[in-house]
Amino acid sequence: MWWGVAAALLANTLYSLGFVLEKRALTSLPEVSIRQPARLLRLVLGSPLWIGGSLALAAGFAAQLVVYRTLPIAAAQGIFVSGLVLLVLLSARLLGEETSGRERYALGAILLALLMVVLSLREGADSVSQDAPYQLILLVCVPSLAAGVWLYGSAERRARNRHRRPTTGVEYGVAVGLLYGVSSLAIKGVSSHLTTDGIGGAVLDLLGSPYPYLLLFTGVFGLVMSQAALQRCRASLIVPVCTTVTCLFTAVLGTLSFGEALPHEPLRLALRVAGTALAVAVLLAMPKHDSAPQPTAPAEELASP
């Protein structure tokens, strides 16, 4: 179990570093848009700093596979939320982004939620499910993907209104968080298929499941949507919103889909449920409009090539 906790903390570090590196690379690139996905990919793939960030995210994905093999879904999500603290610290140090007093209180609440979830764990007492009915996974994931894409499109249309106050990126974060929530369930599914004896058997078994195809969809759309949103909004706010939505989606729907039971002891159950509820409160407390200036690239760098 504690190997799973260590892997989750490593994944947090890699994900936070990856997002910050990608954000720093995007500030020096011309403006990108989801309406020009080929141009977006061409620009980011030409940036060594962005490639470094994407490699850190890929390593975080590998660590997440280990997490889902050793920890219950709900507990893993509570630990993943703790990565927000490191992300904010890195954003302040490497990106010059400032956080408001309200956002700092939210970070304190996240640390408290992490402590609650960790205290709810007990060696040998939590079951880790390895599979779920494919029909149930698709019933959960397909509407969520559609909702994420629709919400992102709505946020894009509102952002083009010149008379609208600058957005913090909460709507973008929720939309991308839904996609990454589906991706998280797919990662859980992939980890369960890696138990098959023999590489060939494991690959064939995996290809017969919906998980690699869900990962492909969320990987392509998530990449394009997240990079455009990350360039426009502060990483120290949009990523926490995205992470919170992803963790809540995975903890609630993943636990139900994979049939993992919550703790039976009243104290452990209260700690885990309270940690999840606190994460919801953090999301609702996030400001909807940006008052802190974010660093921008010089005007000549934002001109289209």
Side-chain angles (χ1 to χ4, degrees):
M1 181 186 73
W2 298 113
W3 280 108
V5 174
L9 294 176
L10 175 61
N12 284 346
T13 303
L14 292 168
Y15 281 139
S16 298
L17 180 62
F19 278 121
V20 168
L21 290 177
E22 286 188 348
K23 170 65 177 179
R24 185 157 185 171
L26 287 165
T27 58
S28 62
L29 292 177
E31 186 176 3
V32 297
S33 170
I34 60 170
R35 290 172 291 177
Q36 298 175 301
R39 176 176 175 273
L40 183 152
L41 292 174
R42 176 173 58 83
L43 288 171
V44 297
L45 290 176
S47 169
L49 188 60
W50 186 91
I51 292 175
S54 65
L55 290 176
L57 293 177
F61 165 81
Q64 196 172 351
L65 287 174
V66 177
V67 174
Y68 284 142
R69 293 284 299 276
T70 55
L71 289 180
I73 293 175
Q77 301 314 306
I79 298 175
F80 285 145
V81 173
S82 68
L84 302 181
V85 177
L86 177 60
L87 180 130
V88 170
L89 294 175
L90 289 175
S91 297
R93 180 69 175 176
L94 300 178
L95 302 176
E97 296 183 352
E98 297 181 1
T99 56
S100 66
R102 190 174 175 183
E103 292 165 0
R104 286 191 288 271
Y105 283 124
L107 291 177
I110 287 170
L111 285 176
L112 180 58
L114 168 65
L115 179 61
M116 290 179 178
V117 172
V118 171
L119 290 176
S120 76
L121 295 172
R122 195 174 74 185
E123 187 76 41
D126 295 294
S127 61
V128 180
S129 176
Q130 297 299 329
D131 205 359
Y134 294 160
Q135 297 86 347
L136 181 58
I137 291 295
L138 292 175
L139 182 64
V140 167
C141 293
V142 172
S144 302
L145 292 174
V149 173
W150 175 83
L151 182 59
Y152 193 98
S154 298
E156 282 281 279
R157 289 190 292 273
R158 283 191 290 271
R160 289 197 291 269
N161 184 350
R162 295 183 178 180
H163 302 290
R164 184 177 175 84
R165 291 175 61 191
T167 180
T168 57
V170 169
E171 293 169 311
Y172 290 121
V174 172
V176 177
L178 287 174
L179 262 71
Y180 284 167
V182 172
S183 179
S184 189
L185 291 187
I187 293 172
K188 168 66 177 176
V190 169
S191 71
S192 68
H193 285 272
L194 296 180
T195 59
T196 304
D197 293 334
I199 297 178
V203 171
L204 290 176
D205 190 32
L206 183 60
L207 291 177
S209 73
Y211 302 121
Y213 312 107
L214 289 173
L215 277 177
L216 179 63
F217 182 92
T218 55
V220 173
F221 279 81
L223 172 64
V224 174
M225 291 165 60
S226 64
Q227 298 310 301
L230 195 59
Q231 188 182 59
R232 296 171 190 158
C233 309
R234 283 187 291 137
S236 56
L237 198 141
I238 189 173
V239 176
V241 172
C242 175
T243 302
T244 303
V245 172
T246 298
C247 290
L248 290 175
F249 179 96
T250 309
V252 176
L253 296 181
T255 297
L256 295 175
S257 299
F258 284 88
E260 292 184 352
L262 291 172
H264 298 293
E265 296 91 335
L267 179 58
R268 293 176 60 229
L269 177 62
L271 286 170
R272 194 166 299 179
V273 171
T276 302
L278 192 56
V280 175
V282 169
L283 175 61
L284 295 177
M286 288 289 186
K288 301 297 186 295
H289 298 284
D290 208 349
S291 58
Q294 84 168 322
T296 56
E300 62 270 15
E301 293 182 352
L302 297 178
S304 299

mmCIF file of all heavy atoms in Angstrom, residues 164-210:
data_model
loop_
_atom_site.group_PDB
_atom_site.id
_atom_site.type_symbol
_atom_site.label_atom_id
_atom_site.label_comp_id
_atom_site.label_asym_id
_atom_site.label_seq_id
_atom_site.Cartn_x
_atom_site.Cartn_y
_atom_site.Cartn_z
ATOM 1 N N ARG A 164 -16.651 40.979 -21.977
ATOM 2 C CA ARG A 164 -16.680 40.063 -20.833
ATOM 3 C C ARG A 164 -15.420 40.248 -19.988
ATOM 4 O O ARG A 164 -14.330 40.461 -20.522
ATOM 5 C CB ARG A 164 -16.778 38.620 -21.333
ATOM 6 C CG ARG A 164 -16.919 37.589 -20.217
ATOM 7 C CD ARG A 164 -17.092 36.202 -20.831
ATOM 8 N NE ARG A 164 -17.105 35.174 -19.807
ATOM 9 C CZ ARG A 164 -18.162 34.817 -19.116
ATOM 10 N NH1 ARG A 164 -19.309 35.439 -19.334
ATOM 11 N NH2 ARG A 164 -18.097 33.868 -18.200
ATOM 12 N N ARG A 165 -15.573 40.164 -18.657
ATOM 13 C CA ARG A 165 -14.420 40.266 -17.771
ATOM 14 C C ARG A 165 -13.460 39.109 -18.031
ATOM 15 O O ARG A 165 -13.880 38.021 -18.417
ATOM 16 C CB ARG A 165 -14.876 40.226 -16.310
ATOM 17 C CG ARG A 165 -15.650 41.441 -15.855
ATOM 18 C CD ARG A 165 -16.153 41.242 -14.437
ATOM 19 N NE ARG A 165 -15.033 41.054 -13.514
ATOM 20 C CZ ARG A 165 -15.194 40.655 -12.253
ATOM 21 N NH1 ARG A 165 -16.402 40.370 -11.792
ATOM 22 N NH2 ARG A 165 -14.146 40.528 -11.474
ATOM 23 N N PRO A 166 -12.145 39.323 -17.826
ATOM 24 C CA PRO A 166 -11.184 38.243 -18.045
ATOM 25 C C PRO A 166 -11.512 37.028 -17.174
ATOM 26 O O PRO A 166 -11.776 37.168 -15.981
ATOM 27 C CB PRO A 166 -9.841 38.873 -17.637
ATOM 28 C CG PRO A 166 -10.056 40.339 -17.756
ATOM 29 C CD PRO A 166 -11.488 40.583 -17.429
ATOM 30 N N THR A 167 -11.545 35.857 -17.785
ATOM 31 C CA THR A 167 -11.896 34.649 -17.060
ATOM 32 C C THR A 167 -10.683 34.036 -16.380
ATOM 33 O O THR A 167 -9.554 34.171 -16.857
ATOM 34 C CB THR A 167 -12.526 33.610 -18.011
ATOM 35 O OG1 THR A 167 -12.849 32.430 -17.259
ATOM 36 C CG2 THR A 167 -11.558 33.226 -19.117
ATOM 37 N N THR A 168 -10.925 33.366 -15.259
ATOM 38 C CA THR A 168 -9.835 32.670 -14.581
ATOM 39 C C THR A 168 -9.512 31.348 -15.268
ATOM 40 O O THR A 168 -8.453 30.789 -15.063
ATOM 41 C CB THR A 168 -10.231 32.370 -13.129
ATOM 42 O OG1 THR A 168 -11.440 31.596 -13.131
ATOM 43 C CG2 THR A 168 -10.433 33.637 -12.340
ATOM 44 N N GLY A 169 -10.448 30.822 -16.027
ATOM 45 C CA GLY A 169 -10.233 29.530 -16.657
ATOM 46 C C GLY A 169 -10.953 28.395 -15.970
ATOM 47 O O GLY A 169 -10.696 27.227 -16.279
ATOM 48 N N VAL A 170 -11.869 28.709 -15.032
ATOM 49 C CA VAL A 170 -12.591 27.655 -14.318
ATOM 50 C C VAL A 170 -13.372 26.782 -15.287
ATOM 51 O O VAL A 170 -13.363 25.551 -15.195
ATOM 52 C CB VAL A 170 -13.518 28.256 -13.244
ATOM 53 C CG1 VAL A 170 -14.465 27.197 -12.692
ATOM 54 C CG2 VAL A 170 -12.696 28.866 -12.114
ATOM 55 N N GLU A 171 -14.066 27.405 -16.252
ATOM 56 C CA GLU A 171 -14.856 26.621 -17.210
ATOM 57 C C GLU A 171 -13.950 25.730 -18.061
ATOM 58 O O GLU A 171 -14.281 24.568 -18.325
ATOM 59 C CB GLU A 171 -15.662 27.559 -18.102
ATOM 60 C CG GLU A 171 -16.753 28.315 -17.337
ATOM 61 C CD GLU A 171 -17.350 29.425 -18.173
ATOM 62 O OE1 GLU A 171 -16.575 30.209 -18.761
ATOM 63 O OE2 GLU A 171 -18.577 29.512 -18.234
ATOM 64 N N TYR A 172 -12.815 26.271 -18.489
ATOM 65 C CA TYR A 172 -11.862 25.454 -19.235
ATOM 66 C C TYR A 172 -11.383 24.289 -18.378
ATOM 67 O O TYR A 172 -11.261 23.146 -18.849
ATOM 68 C CB TYR A 172 -10.658 26.296 -19.658
ATOM 69 C CG TYR A 172 -10.935 27.319 -20.724
ATOM 70 C CD1 TYR A 172 -10.711 28.674 -20.488
ATOM 71 C CD2 TYR A 172 -11.390 26.940 -21.979
ATOM 72 C CE1 TYR A 172 -10.954 29.627 -21.466
ATOM 73 C CE2 TYR A 172 -11.634 27.887 -22.964
ATOM 74 C CZ TYR A 172 -11.414 29.231 -22.700
ATOM 75 O OH TYR A 172 -11.656 30.160 -23.672
ATOM 76 N N GLY A 173 -11.076 24.588 -17.115
ATOM 77 C CA GLY A 173 -10.572 23.547 -16.224
ATOM 78 C C GLY A 173 -11.574 22.433 -16.010
ATOM 79 O O GLY A 173 -11.211 21.247 -15.975
ATOM 80 N N VAL A 174 -12.866 22.787 -15.847
ATOM 81 C CA VAL A 174 -13.903 21.772 -15.665
ATOM 82 C C VAL A 174 -14.020 20.909 -16.920
ATOM 83 O O VAL A 174 -14.126 19.674 -16.840
ATOM 84 C CB VAL A 174 -15.251 22.435 -15.329
ATOM 85 C CG1 VAL A 174 -16.375 21.395 -15.331
ATOM 86 C CG2 VAL A 174 -15.178 23.116 -13.967
ATOM 87 N N ALA A 175 -14.006 21.544 -18.094
ATOM 88 C CA ALA A 175 -14.148 20.799 -19.351
ATOM 89 C C ALA A 175 -12.999 19.817 -19.544
ATOM 90 O O ALA A 175 -13.214 18.628 -19.845
ATOM 91 C CB ALA A 175 -14.216 21.784 -20.526
ATOM 92 N N VAL A 176 -11.775 20.295 -19.386
ATOM 93 C CA VAL A 176 -10.616 19.410 -19.565
ATOM 94 C C VAL A 176 -10.582 18.368 -18.449
ATOM 95 O O VAL A 176 -10.182 17.223 -18.675
ATOM 96 C CB VAL A 176 -9.311 20.231 -19.593
ATOM 97 C CG1 VAL A 176 -8.102 19.320 -19.714
ATOM 98 C CG2 VAL A 176 -9.332 21.216 -20.767
ATOM 99 N N GLY A 177 -11.039 18.746 -17.249
ATOM 100 C CA GLY A 177 -11.077 17.801 -16.145
ATOM 101 C C GLY A 177 -11.989 16.620 -16.417
ATOM 102 O O GLY A 177 -11.695 15.491 -16.009
ATOM 103 N N LEU A 178 -13.107 16.857 -17.124
ATOM 104 C CA LEU A 178 -13.987 15.750 -17.487
ATOM 105 C C LEU A 178 -13.291 14.779 -18.436
ATOM 106 O O LEU A 178 -13.405 13.559 -18.287
ATOM 107 C CB LEU A 178 -15.264 16.294 -18.136
ATOM 108 C CG LEU A 178 -16.262 16.982 -17.195
ATOM 109 C CD1 LEU A 178 -17.397 17.609 -17.976
ATOM 110 C CD2 LEU A 178 -16.806 15.991 -16.172
ATOM 111 N N LEU A 179 -12.550 15.328 -19.415
ATOM 112 C CA LEU A 179 -11.811 14.463 -20.331
ATOM 113 C C LEU A 179 -10.738 13.668 -19.599
ATOM 114 O O LEU A 179 -10.583 12.458 -19.812
ATOM 115 C CB LEU A 179 -11.177 15.289 -21.454
ATOM 116 C CG LEU A 179 -11.966 15.327 -22.764
ATOM 117 C CD1 LEU A 179 -13.228 16.166 -22.579
ATOM 118 C CD2 LEU A 179 -11.126 15.894 -23.904
ATOM 119 N N TYR A 180 -10.013 14.337 -18.714
ATOM 120 C CA TYR A 180 -8.956 13.646 -17.982
ATOM 121 C C TYR A 180 -9.538 12.672 -16.956
ATOM 122 O O TYR A 180 -8.876 11.703 -16.568
ATOM 123 C CB TYR A 180 -8.043 14.662 -17.303
ATOM 124 C CG TYR A 180 -7.081 15.341 -18.255
ATOM 125 C CD1 TYR A 180 -6.366 16.466 -17.884
ATOM 126 C CD2 TYR A 180 -6.899 14.855 -19.548
ATOM 127 C CE1 TYR A 180 -5.478 17.085 -18.755
ATOM 128 C CE2 TYR A 180 -6.024 15.472 -20.426
ATOM 129 C CZ TYR A 180 -5.317 16.585 -20.028
ATOM 130 O OH TYR A 180 -4.444 17.185 -20.902
ATOM 131 N N GLY A 181 -10.779 12.915 -16.495
ATOM 132 C CA GLY A 181 -11.437 11.948 -15.628
ATOM 133 C C GLY A 181 -11.696 10.648 -16.360
ATOM 134 O O GLY A 181 -11.470 9.552 -15.821
ATOM 135 N N VAL A 182 -12.167 10.761 -17.602
ATOM 136 C CA VAL A 182 -12.348 9.568 -18.430
ATOM 137 C C VAL A 182 -11.004 8.886 -18.673
ATOM 138 O O VAL A 182 -10.885 7.658 -18.610
ATOM 139 C CB VAL A 182 -13.017 9.948 -19.766
ATOM 140 C CG1 VAL A 182 -13.026 8.756 -20.729
ATOM 141 C CG2 VAL A 182 -14.437 10.445 -19.524
ATOM 142 N N SER A 183 -9.977 9.697 -18.932
ATOM 143 C CA SER A 183 -8.643 9.147 -19.138
ATOM 144 C C SER A 183 -8.155 8.397 -17.903
ATOM 145 O O SER A 183 -7.531 7.336 -17.995
ATOM 146 C CB SER A 183 -7.658 10.276 -19.479
ATOM 147 O OG SER A 183 -6.356 9.777 -19.658
ATOM 148 N N SER A 184 -8.470 8.925 -16.714
ATOM 149 C CA SER A 184 -8.054 8.278 -15.470
ATOM 150 C C SER A 184 -8.720 6.916 -15.308
ATOM 151 O O SER A 184 -8.090 5.944 -14.877
ATOM 152 C CB SER A 184 -8.380 9.187 -14.288
ATOM 153 O OG SER A 184 -7.826 8.692 -13.094
ATOM 154 N N LEU A 185 -10.019 6.829 -15.658
ATOM 155 C CA LEU A 185 -10.697 5.531 -15.619
ATOM 156 C C LEU A 185 -10.075 4.566 -16.621
ATOM 157 O O LEU A 185 -9.946 3.363 -16.343
ATOM 158 C CB LEU A 185 -12.186 5.700 -15.918
ATOM 159 C CG LEU A 185 -13.051 6.407 -14.869
ATOM 160 C CD1 LEU A 185 -14.513 6.327 -15.251
ATOM 161 C CD2 LEU A 185 -12.837 5.806 -13.497
ATOM 162 N N ALA A 186 -9.685 5.092 -17.785
ATOM 163 C CA ALA A 186 -9.050 4.233 -18.793
ATOM 164 C C ALA A 186 -7.698 3.738 -18.299
ATOM 165 O O ALA A 186 -7.322 2.583 -18.542
ATOM 166 C CB ALA A 186 -8.897 5.000 -20.105
ATOM 167 N N ILE A 187 -6.948 4.596 -17.596
ATOM 168 C CA ILE A 187 -5.657 4.174 -17.040
ATOM 169 C C ILE A 187 -5.869 3.066 -16.009
ATOM 170 O O ILE A 187 -5.117 2.081 -15.960
ATOM 171 C CB ILE A 187 -4.926 5.366 -16.405
ATOM 172 C CG1 ILE A 187 -4.521 6.372 -17.489
ATOM 173 C CG2 ILE A 187 -3.684 4.905 -15.650
ATOM 174 C CD1 ILE A 187 -3.969 7.673 -16.937
ATOM 175 N N LYS A 188 -6.903 3.212 -15.184
ATOM 176 C CA LYS A 188 -7.242 2.166 -14.220
ATOM 177 C C LYS A 188 -7.539 0.858 -14.950
ATOM 178 O O LYS A 188 -7.088 -0.219 -14.538
ATOM 179 C CB LYS A 188 -8.449 2.606 -13.390
ATOM 180 C CG LYS A 188 -9.094 1.513 -12.551
ATOM 181 C CD LYS A 188 -8.192 1.017 -11.449
ATOM 182 C CE LYS A 188 -8.926 -0.020 -10.586
ATOM 183 N NZ LYS A 188 -8.038 -0.596 -9.548
ATOM 184 N N GLY A 189 -8.297 0.942 -16.051
ATOM 185 C CA GLY A 189 -8.612 -0.253 -16.821
ATOM 186 C C GLY A 189 -7.383 -0.886 -17.447
ATOM 187 O O GLY A 189 -7.228 -2.109 -17.454
ATOM 188 N N VAL A 190 -6.482 -0.046 -17.968
ATOM 189 C CA VAL A 190 -5.244 -0.564 -18.571
ATOM 190 C C VAL A 190 -4.419 -1.288 -17.508
ATOM 191 O O VAL A 190 -3.871 -2.370 -17.754
ATOM 192 C CB VAL A 190 -4.429 0.577 -19.204
ATOM 193 C CG1 VAL A 190 -3.028 0.107 -19.581
ATOM 194 C CG2 VAL A 190 -5.143 1.114 -20.442
ATOM 195 N N SER A 191 -4.334 -0.710 -16.317
ATOM 196 C CA SER A 191 -3.541 -1.334 -15.257
ATOM 197 C C SER A 191 -4.093 -2.705 -14.888
ATOM 198 O O SER A 191 -3.338 -3.610 -14.534
ATOM 199 C CB SER A 191 -3.502 -0.426 -14.022
ATOM 200 O OG SER A 191 -4.760 -0.401 -13.367
ATOM 201 N N SER A 192 -5.415 -2.875 -14.977
ATOM 202 C CA SER A 192 -6.003 -4.169 -14.641
ATOM 203 C C SER A 192 -5.675 -5.227 -15.680
ATOM 204 O O SER A 192 -5.571 -6.414 -15.356
ATOM 205 C CB SER A 192 -7.526 -4.031 -14.504
ATOM 206 O OG SER A 192 -8.137 -3.756 -15.754
ATOM 207 N N HIS A 193 -5.484 -4.826 -16.946
ATOM 208 C CA HIS A 193 -5.185 -5.791 -18.011
ATOM 209 C C HIS A 193 -3.706 -6.159 -18.055
ATOM 210 O O HIS A 193 -3.335 -7.107 -18.749
ATOM 211 C CB HIS A 193 -5.627 -5.238 -19.363
ATOM 212 C CG HIS A 193 -7.106 -5.284 -19.566
ATOM 213 N ND1 HIS A 193 -7.753 -6.380 -20.094
ATOM 214 C CD2 HIS A 193 -8.076 -4.383 -19.284
ATOM 215 C CE1 HIS A 193 -9.059 -6.145 -20.143
ATOM 216 N NE2 HIS A 193 -9.274 -4.935 -19.656
ATOM 217 N N LEU A 194 -2.880 -5.441 -17.329
ATOM 218 C CA LEU A 194 -1.457 -5.767 -17.318
ATOM 219 C C LEU A 194 -1.150 -6.975 -16.443
ATOM 220 O O LEU A 194 0.002 -7.397 -16.362
ATOM 221 C CB LEU A 194 -0.651 -4.553 -16.830
ATOM 222 C CG LEU A 194 -0.716 -3.311 -17.722
ATOM 223 C CD1 LEU A 194 0.121 -2.189 -17.127
ATOM 224 C CD2 LEU A 194 -0.243 -3.636 -19.130
ATOM 225 N N THR A 195 -2.157 -7.537 -15.801
ATOM 226 C CA THR A 195 -1.933 -8.709 -14.955
ATOM 227 C C THR A 195 -1.960 -10.007 -15.752
ATOM 228 O O THR A 195 -1.614 -11.052 -15.231
ATOM 229 C CB THR A 195 -3.015 -8.779 -13.861
ATOM 230 O OG1 THR A 195 -4.309 -8.848 -14.470
ATOM 231 C CG2 THR A 195 -2.949 -7.549 -12.959
ATOM 232 N N THR A 196 -2.376 -9.962 -17.018
ATOM 233 C CA THR A 196 -2.434 -11.166 -17.845
ATOM 234 C C THR A 196 -1.032 -11.730 -18.061
ATOM 235 O O THR A 196 -0.089 -10.990 -18.319
ATOM 236 C CB THR A 196 -3.079 -10.850 -19.207
ATOM 237 O OG1 THR A 196 -4.368 -10.275 -18.979
ATOM 238 C CG2 THR A 196 -3.223 -12.111 -20.041
ATOM 239 N N ASP A 197 -0.896 -13.056 -17.972
ATOM 240 C CA ASP A 197 0.404 -13.695 -18.181
ATOM 241 C C ASP A 197 0.832 -13.562 -19.632
ATOM 242 O O ASP A 197 0.084 -13.890 -20.551
ATOM 243 C CB ASP A 197 0.332 -15.183 -17.805
ATOM 244 C CG ASP A 197 0.109 -15.389 -16.320
ATOM 245 O OD1 ASP A 197 0.498 -14.480 -15.547
ATOM 246 O OD2 ASP A 197 -0.446 -16.436 -15.940
ATOM 247 N N GLY A 198 2.060 -13.101 -19.838
ATOM 248 C CA GLY A 198 2.611 -12.979 -21.184
ATOM 249 C C GLY A 198 2.252 -11.650 -21.811
ATOM 250 O O GLY A 198 1.109 -11.182 -21.720
ATOM 251 N N ILE A 199 3.235 -11.032 -22.479
ATOM 252 C CA ILE A 199 3.010 -9.719 -23.092
ATOM 253 C C ILE A 199 1.985 -9.808 -24.212
ATOM 254 O O ILE A 199 1.090 -8.965 -24.326
ATOM 255 C CB ILE A 199 4.350 -9.149 -23.625
ATOM 256 C CG1 ILE A 199 5.319 -8.923 -22.458
ATOM 257 C CG2 ILE A 199 4.109 -7.856 -24.385
ATOM 258 C CD1 ILE A 199 6.671 -8.408 -22.885
ATOM 259 N N GLY A 200 2.108 -10.845 -25.050
ATOM 260 C CA GLY A 200 1.180 -10.988 -26.171
ATOM 261 C C GLY A 200 -0.256 -11.123 -25.717
ATOM 262 O O GLY A 200 -1.164 -10.481 -26.255
ATOM 263 N N GLY A 201 -0.485 -11.959 -24.698
ATOM 264 C CA GLY A 201 -1.836 -12.123 -24.182
ATOM 265 C C GLY A 201 -2.378 -10.852 -23.579
ATOM 266 O O GLY A 201 -3.565 -10.532 -23.725
ATOM 267 N N ALA A 202 -1.523 -10.103 -22.866
ATOM 268 C CA ALA A 202 -1.949 -8.854 -22.253
ATOM 269 C C ALA A 202 -2.346 -7.831 -23.309
ATOM 270 O O ALA A 202 -3.349 -7.127 -23.163
ATOM 271 C CB ALA A 202 -0.838 -8.302 -21.371
ATOM 272 N N VAL A 203 -1.571 -7.747 -24.402
ATOM 273 C CA VAL A 203 -1.867 -6.784 -25.469
ATOM 274 C C VAL A 203 -3.189 -7.132 -26.153
ATOM 275 O O VAL A 203 -4.037 -6.261 -26.397
ATOM 276 C CB VAL A 203 -0.715 -6.740 -26.487
ATOM 277 C CG1 VAL A 203 -1.120 -5.912 -27.704
ATOM 278 C CG2 VAL A 203 0.537 -6.149 -25.843
ATOM 279 N N LEU A 204 -3.376 -8.415 -26.481
ATOM 280 C CA LEU A 204 -4.618 -8.828 -27.134
ATOM 281 C C LEU A 204 -5.819 -8.584 -26.234
ATOM 282 O O LEU A 204 -6.878 -8.136 -26.680
ATOM 283 C CB LEU A 204 -4.539 -10.310 -27.519
ATOM 284 C CG LEU A 204 -3.574 -10.660 -28.660
ATOM 285 C CD1 LEU A 204 -3.518 -12.165 -28.873
ATOM 286 C CD2 LEU A 204 -4.004 -9.953 -29.950
ATOM 287 N N ASP A 205 -5.657 -8.896 -24.959
ATOM 288 C CA ASP A 205 -6.727 -8.669 -23.990
ATOM 289 C C ASP A 205 -7.055 -7.184 -23.889
ATOM 290 O O ASP A 205 -8.220 -6.787 -23.825
ATOM 291 C CB ASP A 205 -6.298 -9.227 -22.637
ATOM 292 C CG ASP A 205 -7.445 -9.245 -21.642
ATOM 293 O OD1 ASP A 205 -8.599 -9.424 -22.078
ATOM 294 O OD2 ASP A 205 -7.192 -9.061 -20.433
ATOM 295 N N LEU A 206 -6.016 -6.344 -23.895
ATOM 296 C CA LEU A 206 -6.211 -4.903 -23.781
ATOM 297 C C LEU A 206 -6.896 -4.328 -25.015
ATOM 298 O O LEU A 206 -7.794 -3.487 -24.917
ATOM 299 C CB LEU A 206 -4.860 -4.219 -23.563
ATOM 300 C CG LEU A 206 -4.877 -2.707 -23.344
ATOM 301 C CD1 LEU A 206 -5.702 -2.352 -22.112
ATOM 302 C CD2 LEU A 206 -3.460 -2.178 -23.194
ATOM 303 N N LEU A 207 -6.506 -4.789 -26.208
ATOM 304 C CA LEU A 207 -7.091 -4.285 -27.444
ATOM 305 C C LEU A 207 -8.557 -4.677 -27.595
ATOM 306 O O LEU A 207 -9.294 -4.040 -28.343
ATOM 307 C CB LEU A 207 -6.297 -4.794 -28.656
ATOM 308 C CG LEU A 207 -4.885 -4.223 -28.809
ATOM 309 C CD1 LEU A 207 -4.180 -4.867 -29.993
ATOM 310 C CD2 LEU A 207 -4.922 -2.705 -28.972
ATOM 311 N N GLY A 208 -8.956 -5.716 -26.897
ATOM 312 C CA GLY A 208 -10.358 -6.115 -26.921
ATOM 313 C C GLY A 208 -11.221 -5.346 -25.936
ATOM 314 O O GLY A 208 -12.432 -5.578 -25.864
ATOM 315 N N SER A 209 -10.621 -4.428 -25.201
ATOM 316 C CA SER A 209 -11.347 -3.599 -24.232
ATOM 317 C C SER A 209 -11.498 -2.179 -24.770
ATOM 318 O O SER A 209 -10.816 -1.791 -25.725
ATOM 319 C CB SER A 209 -10.575 -3.564 -22.908
ATOM 320 O OG SER A 209 -9.415 -2.751 -23.028
ATOM 321 N N PRO A 210 -12.368 -1.351 -24.179
ATOM 322 C CA PRO A 210 -12.522 0.041 -24.659
ATOM 323 C C PRO A 210 -11.429 0.976 -24.167
ATOM 324 O O PRO A 210 -11.350 2.126 -24.632
ATOM 325 C CB PRO A 210 -13.881 0.451 -24.070
ATOM 326 C CG PRO A 210 -14.036 -0.367 -22.844
ATOM 327 C CD PRO A 210 -13.359 -1.689 -23.127
#
